Amino acid sequence: MSSVTAPALSSLVRAQLASPSPIRQIMKMAERQNIIAMGLDPDEVISFGGGWVNHEAPEEFRQAYLEVVSDPALFHKSGGYTATLGDMECRQQIARFEAALFGVPHLGPEHVAIGMGSTQLTHDLFRVLVNPGDTVLLLDPTYANYEGQLAFAAPGVSIVRLRVVDPDTWSYLPDVDPAGIAREFRRLFDLHKPRLVLFGAPDNPTSQVVPQALAEVMLERSRDAGAWLAIDFAYKCQYFAPCPAYYAWSPADHPNVIGIHSNSKWARGLGRRLGWIEAAAAVVDALERVQQCSILCPDTLEQMTMARYLQRAIPSGSLQRYVEATNALYRKAAQVTIDAVDRHLRRPRLVPAGGLYTVVDVGRDAETFVPEALKTTGVLVVPGRGFGPSLASGVRISFGPLVNQPERIEEGLARLARALA
Ligand SMILES: Cc1ncc(COP(=O)(O)O)c(C=O)c1O
C-alpha cells in the first residue's frame, strides 16, 4: 500500500460531503446489503422511498427507438453530436408538445434549451441566473436537491423559505389562507429582495400545486423587481384537477418566467436523460454557453427518437391519450394511498393534487422514526426534514414505484401502522 496520501479535495466539495442529505442517507441505508445486515429479507421490503414512476413508456416511442436503431444510417447519426442546445427539430417538437398539451402560446424553438434532464439543467440555470451574495426564495417544504444544486452552481447564495405547510394543523397554507400567504410572500420578497423565486408544480414532496392567485403575486412582484420566477414542472403531466392558468405561461409573454421540464416522469424516461428549459431567448443563449462546458450536447439518440415520436403522436392525438391514461393511473394510485393512510395510519396527511407523493405527520421526529420503522416493519419512507423544517415530524410516501401494485401500497401502509402504534 502506498504511504503517499491523496491531495485534498476542493473545500466546496468537502463542505458538501460533510453535510449529506438525510434523504440520501436513508436511501443508502435501504441498499440491499444493509437490508440483509438488518436481518430483513430484501424481497419483503416495501419501499415508498423512490421518487420515480413505474408506468410503461409510450409504445410508439419504443417503436421510434427501434426504427432509429435498426437503420444503420440513422444509428450512425445518433452517435454524433447535436447542437449544444439540442437538435432544432426536437426543440420544435417540444414547443408543439407544450402547445398541444397545455396550450402554451407563442412558444418557438428559440425558447427551448434541451439538456440531460432537469437536474443538470437546474444546476446550469442557477449558474446563469444568480450571483454570489444573491438570495433565492424557495418554499418550505420543497424539492431537497435545490439546496445542493445552489451550493455547487452558485456558491455564496442565501436561501429564504416561504412556509407553505403549517406543521401544527398539517394544512397547505395557500389553500387555507390565500391572503395570509400572499402577504407573507410580499413581506419576505420586500425584505430579502431575491433574484430568483423557485417552486415546483406540483411540488415534491407535498404534491400540492401553488394556486393561480399566489403564482400571480409571485409573477407581479418578481417582474416589477427585475427578478426571475422559475417553475419546476417535473410532474406537470401528473395533475389530478384542472391545471392552473400558469401552466400555460409562455416566456414569449412573460420574459422573467422560466419553466424547468423533464421527460423523466411523463414518458418514464428517467434513465434516458432528457429535459428542457423554456425561457426568454437571452436565457436560452446563456445556457448554451454554460452547456458548452457542462455537457457539450444532450443525448442524440433520445432527441432523434423523441422528435420522431412527437411528430406523429401530436397530430394523431395519441400523445394526449397516453398522457391522460397515465394521469388516470397515478390519480388512482394517489387515491389508494390516501385511503390506506386514513385506514391504517390515521394521521394528518396532504391529499395529492398531482405528482407521486403524499406527506404524513408521524407526530414525532421522523429521522428516528424512519430507520426504526424500516427495521421493525420492513417498510421504507423518507423523513421530511430534508425538504424543509416544516416537515420535521413528517414523512414522504411515494406511490410512484408501486403505481401498478395497489395491494403492495395497502400492505405497506398496514405494516407501517405497526411502527406508529
Ligand atoms: C421536483 C423535481 N425536479 C427535478 C427532478 C429531477 O428530474 P430529472 O430526472 O429530469 O433530472 C425531480 C426528481 O425527482 C423532482 O422531484
Side-chain angles (χ1 to χ4, degrees):
M1 234 190 355
S2 162
S3 61
V4 182
T5 51
L9 302 170
S10 75
S11 47
L12 173 60
V13 97
R14 276 185 286 139
Q16 287 300 307
L17 285 170
S19 57
S21 103
I23 301 163
R24 283 279 128 233
Q25 280 172 307
I26 292 291
M27 295 312 275
K28 264 199 169 154
M29 204 181 90
E31 281 169 8
R32 197 175 172 86
Q33 65 277 21
N34 295 334
I35 294 286
I36 294 168
M38 269 178 229
L40 295 168
D41 175 353
D43 296 333
E44 290 300 311
V45 168
I46 297 182
S47 175
F48 294 100
W52 44 278
V53 290
N54 217 357
H55 62 285
E56 302 293 318
E59 175 57 18
E60 289 165 75
F61 172 66
R62 198 179 70 83
Q63 291 298 333
Y65 251 91
L66 275 178
E67 285 164 24
V68 173
V69 170
S70 58
D71 179 316
L74 287 177
F75 183 69
H76 182 74
K77 190 176 168 206
S78 78
Y81 293 127
T82 64
T84 296
L85 288 174
D87 168 62
M88 202 35 107
E89 177 59 23
C90 192
R91 291 167 72 191
Q92 181 80 258
Q93 290 302 329
I94 283 173
R96 293 203 180 120
F97 168 99
E98 279 279 275
L101 289 181
F102 299 102
V104 181
H106 320 304
L107 197 66
E110 69 279 13
H111 301 119
V112 175
I114 301 178
M116 299 286 292
S118 61
T119 302
Q120 171 261 318
L121 284 162
T122 303
H123 176 278
D124 287 2
L125 185 68
F126 289 154
R127 263 265 159 253
V128 165
L129 301 182
V130 290
N131 292 311
D134 281 346
T135 297
V136 175
L137 194 150
L138 302 176
L139 304 185
D140 169 19
T142 195
Y143 182 43
N145 219 6
Y146 298 143
E147 275 194 24
Q149 289 174 309
L150 279 167
F152 279 115
V157 158
S158 332
I159 296 173
V160 166
R161 286 173 175 269
L162 173 70
R163 179 162 282 195
V164 289
V165 170
D166 179 350
D168 296 327
T169 58
W170 211 252
S171 52
Y172 184 63
L173 290 166
D175 286 340
V176 297
D177 182 15
I181 196 89
R183 216 172 23 249
E184 177 59 4
F185 172 79
R186 286 198 188 95
R187 188 189 71 78
L188 284 176
F189 193 96
D190 293 347
L191 185 63
H192 298 284
K193 302 185 174 44
R195 255 183 87 70
L196 168 66
V197 175
L198 167 61
F199 69 88
D203 211 350
N204 173 3
T206 59
S207 273
Q208 303 302 296
V209 174
V210 164
Q212 181 65 18
L214 179 57
E216 277 173 19
V217 172
M218 290 175 167
L219 173 66
E220 181 198 284
R221 250 322 187 260
S222 57
R223 186 191 49 214
D224 293 352
W228 299 102
L229 173 61
I231 308 175
D232 185 338
F233 281 122
Y235 306 93
K236 193 176 189 182
C237 290
Q238 275 100 4
Y239 189 67
F240 311 149
C243 302
Y246 66 82
Y247 272 46
W249 279 352
S250 168
D253 302 326
H254 304 291
N256 73 317
V257 174
I258 298 172
I260 306 170
H261 298 259
S262 171
N263 268 356
S264 293
K265 309 294 159 82
W266 76 270
R268 212 211 178 238
L270 306 134
R272 289 183 285 268
R273 307 297 293 152
L274 196 142
W276 70 95
I277 296 287
E278 278 169 28
V283 175
V284 169
D285 292 348
L287 268 169
E288 180 175 27
R289 183 67 192 98
V290 181
Q291 289 204 152
Q292 280 162 2
C293 300
S294 62
I295 61 166
L296 203 54
C297 84
D299 184 306
T300 304
L301 177 58
E302 177 73 356
Q303 291 180 77
M304 284 171 72
T305 315
M306 187 48 72
R308 270 176 110 75
Y309 163 66
L310 292 177
Q311 273 160 4
R312 300 169 195 160
I314 295 172
S316 76
S318 78
L319 171 71
Q320 183 90 36
R321 287 193 294 279
Y322 171 79
V323 166
E324 278 167 14
T326 304
N327 204 18
L329 207 59
Y330 285 91
R331 190 186 304 127
K332 190 155 165 264
Q335 192 59 54
V336 169
T337 305
I338 290 299
D339 290 348
V341 166
D342 290 351
R343 198 164 31 252
H344 301 295
L345 306 185
R346 294 196 208 101
R347 297 288 311 165
R349 80 297 188 257
L350 293 181
V351 177
L356 311 180
Y357 314 105
T358 180
V359 286
V360 177
D361 177 16
V362 291
R364 63 194 82 165
D365 176 23
E367 264 158 53
T368 49
F369 169 78
V370 168
E372 271 167 32
L374 178 60
K375 275 184 212 132
T376 55
T377 68
V379 174
L380 178 69
V381 290
V382 171
R385 176 93 229 178
F387 302 99
S390 62
L391 291 194
S393 70
V395 295
R396 185 190 77 177
I397 292 177
S398 170
F399 45 83
L402 299 173
V403 68
N404 292 314
Q405 294 171 284
E407 67 296 340
R408 293 284 276 177
I409 297 178
E410 175 73 24
E411 186 197 329
L413 292 171
R415 268 159 55 179
L416 190 65
R418 297 207 297 268
L420 267 179

